Amino acid sequence: MALLTRLFYSQLPVWARPTHPMMRYALGYRKLTLRDTLLRLLVAILGIGVIVGAGYFYTQQTSDSNTITYREFMFYPLALLQLLAEILALALTVNSVALERQKGTWESLQVSLVGAATAVRTRWALVFYKLRWVLAAIVLGRLVYIGYLLDDMTDFEGRAIDVRIIGISPEVTLEVAVFLLTALITAALLLPFVAIALDAAVGMVVATLTQRRSAGVLTTLVLVGGRVLITGSALFLGDSILGPNGTKPEVVDMSTAEGWGRTLLLTLQGDLGLRLLNLETLGNLWSDLENGIYIGGVVLVGVILMAMIANGLVLFAAWRAAKPAKS
């Protein structure tokens, strides 16, 4: 286990490893007692239990089906958990520089050659350490979705994909359909990490622009409100065309641009791909949406673009932090 851990950390940049001095400083040196660990575990289990229970109750009240599936009752709990992670990513970064200024350490970091820039990168990477258990729960929940998607492919004696690409426009071979489906699964696994990375990067850029903690608190509230609004709007607009078990009739009456726009908004900023991890839904999209067969490839490209934007924002924040302060 220790060998695997060292191998994993060796793939990270030096400033993102827990052994780096700045990362060790950011993580803190307090060792958790067994009581603290058990208490945190209990709180986490209770919190997730409440969220899942509320999701099941809501689905039971709103669903027309007598049998509620995992993909139905876990949709909103996972979407809420993902939104919570994005909010925490903002909260952990927006005030980071202001806190260092308040402690009087920021100026000394700026004097050094790479101190301030490295501090920004470290604070950005710190988000993933702080949210590692939330991310683990999100990934575990998604893996079950992917498992059901793989099980969907065994329908029709293993010819489920062949059946669903018959008569779609444009026509594609089975190999292309499988490749695009693989791209979608890859994107679905990466999306939570990339979404959190992007929100944390936005927070770091804002942190380098904020001089006082009071302004940072206000900015945090604005950014959190914006994140909730974007995610809520994406879920609302996406729900009008995509249900838990397929597309809705409204998608047929929409223009191609609107259908694609709502689908991508839901996928990249709403549920982060959960609705698409259903072969019935994908099959409907492939036939109801013009060029819908390419949705997996387009989503993966979108994820790559989001990652590039996040990287660019972190580099910009590091460059700006390294600039000497004006007297």
Side-chain angles (χ1 to χ4, degrees):
M1 187 65 181
L3 179 61
L4 290 175
T5 302
R6 287 197 299 269
L7 182 62
F8 170 75
Y9 286 135
S10 67
Q11 307 304 310
L12 300 177
V14 175
W15 46 264
R17 299 174 189 175
T19 53
H20 190 274
M22 283 193 178
M23 183 59 76
R24 290 177 60 195
Y25 167 76
L27 288 169
Y29 297 96
R30 179 174 175 266
K31 188 175 182 180
L32 291 178
T33 64
L34 179 60
R35 180 182 177 183
D36 292 335
T37 303
L38 291 176
L39 181 61
R40 291 190 179 192
L41 181 62
L42 178 61
V43 171
I45 292 174
L46 288 175
I48 293 175
V50 169
I51 293 173
V52 173
Y56 186 86
F57 178 77
Y58 174 79
T59 305
Q60 192 176 44
Q61 298 300 312
T62 57
S63 177
D64 298 328
S65 175
N66 294 325
T67 304
I68 301 175
T69 65
Y70 174 89
R71 282 187 283 211
E72 288 182 279
F73 76 81
M74 278 300 292
F75 176 78
Y76 286 107
L78 278 175
L80 181 61
L81 201 59
Q82 290 161 182
L83 174 59
L84 176 63
E86 292 182 90
I87 289 173
L88 290 174
L90 289 168
L92 288 168
T93 51
V94 171
N95 282 311
S96 57
V97 175
L99 286 171
E100 293 295 338
R101 284 196 174 100
Q102 187 177 358
K103 290 186 290 185
T105 57
W106 186 249
E107 287 73 15
S108 59
L109 284 173
Q110 284 188 311
V111 170
S112 62
L113 292 176
V114 294
T118 304
V120 165
R121 295 187 179 99
T122 300
R123 288 289 178 177
W124 175 77
L126 178 67
V127 170
F128 294 95
Y129 288 94
K130 294 287 188 180
L131 300 181
R132 60 188 181 278
W133 296 115
V134 178
L135 277 168
I138 291 172
V139 170
L140 182 62
R142 284 174 166 263
L143 287 175
V144 179
Y145 266 77
I146 292 171
Y148 277 111
L149 175 60
L150 296 176
D151 184 65
D152 292 341
M153 299 179 196
T154 64
D155 293 341
F156 303 106
E157 299 181 350
R159 300 184 65 252
I161 300 178
D162 304 70
V163 171
R164 285 176 171 82
I165 62 175
I166 294 174
I168 67 171
S169 178
E171 295 182 1
V172 296
T173 63
L174 176 61
E175 291 76 12
V176 171
V178 171
F179 174 79
L180 293 170
L181 196 56
T182 304
L184 176 63
I185 293 173
T186 303
L189 285 173
L190 292 175
L191 259 170
F193 296 93
V194 174
I196 290 172
L198 181 56
D199 283 325
V202 171
M204 286 312 312
V205 170
V206 174
T208 61
L209 300 173
T210 306
Q211 297 292 325
R212 298 181 180 177
R213 189 179 179 186
S214 57
V217 172
L218 179 61
T219 306
T220 302
L221 294 176
V222 172
L223 289 176
V224 168
R227 167 42 61 194
V228 172
L229 180 63
I230 292 172
T231 300
S233 300
L235 289 171
F236 176 77
L237 293 174
D239 186 66
S240 63
I241 60 172
L242 291 177
N245 298 305
T247 57
K248 296 183 178 180
E250 289 80 0
V251 71
V252 179
D253 301 325
M254 289 181 182
S255 66
T256 300
E258 184 177 0
W260 269 97
R262 292 194 181 208
T263 302
L264 291 177
L265 182 64
L266 172 67
T267 304
L268 298 177
Q269 294 297 321
D271 67 1
L272 305 183
L274 288 177
R275 283 290 193 226
L276 296 185
L277 295 177
N278 184 330
L279 195 57
E280 183 70 26
T281 301
L282 284 173
N284 292 159
L285 273 178
W286 293 347
S287 60
D288 295 340
L289 193 62
E290 187 176 348
N291 295 313
I293 185 64
Y294 299 117
I295 187 70
V298 173
V299 169
L300 183 57
V301 170
V303 173
I304 294 172
L305 289 175
M306 287 171 62
M308 291 173 63
I309 293 171
N311 183 62
L313 290 176
V314 173
L315 291 176
F316 173 77
W319 168 79
R320 195 182 189 288
K323 292 177 63 178
K326 295 181 179 179
S327 56

